[in-house]
Amino acid sequence: MALSKEFLDLEQKIISTAQKQGAESLILRLLNRRFGKILPETETKIRELPLNQIEDLGEDLLDFSQSSDLDDWLQSH
């Protein structure tokens, strides 16, 4: 029995959502460890980013030396 296109689309959406949530969780944990608890507004901005930008943030945060670097990054993306 072939799977319907709707089912396959739903499956892909669920997988994408899970990947995004996992990436968000990891990035937020790393930022909290590096700079202490981040502001709720900053967390909201991060959660609103698409997956590819969350992945970019994950790489770029390695170069951050202070929490203002995160604010600058978010403003430029």
Side-chain angles (χ1 to χ4, degrees):
M1 181 165 131
L3 297 175
S4 71
K5 179 175 177 0
E6 292 82 16
F7 176 81
L8 294 173
D9 289 346
L10 178 60
E11 180 183 46
Q12 184 58 43
K13 185 175 181 180
I14 291 169
I15 290 169
S16 294
T17 300
Q19 289 174 330
K20 184 174 184 303
Q21 289 173 341
E24 288 170 357
S25 177
L26 177 59
I27 297 307
L28 291 169
R29 285 182 16 227
L30 291 171
L31 289 168
N32 282 320
R33 180 163 180 173
R34 182 134 193 189
F35 301 119
K37 182 71 176 144
I38 62 172
L39 296 173
E41 307 85 51
T42 302
E43 182 175 337
T44 299
K45 288 178 185 177
I46 292 169
R47 291 190 183 279
E48 291 173 348
L49 294 171
L51 179 58
N52 66 321
Q53 286 187 337
I54 292 171
E55 291 170 341
D56 291 345
L57 175 57
E59 291 179 17
D60 292 345
L61 74 83
L62 297 173
D63 297 325
F64 296 171
S65 59
Q66 52 195 7
S67 60
S68 63
D69 294 333
L70 172 60
D71 296 329
D72 294 343
W73 190 96
L74 288 169
Q75 289 207 351
S76 67
H77 292 80

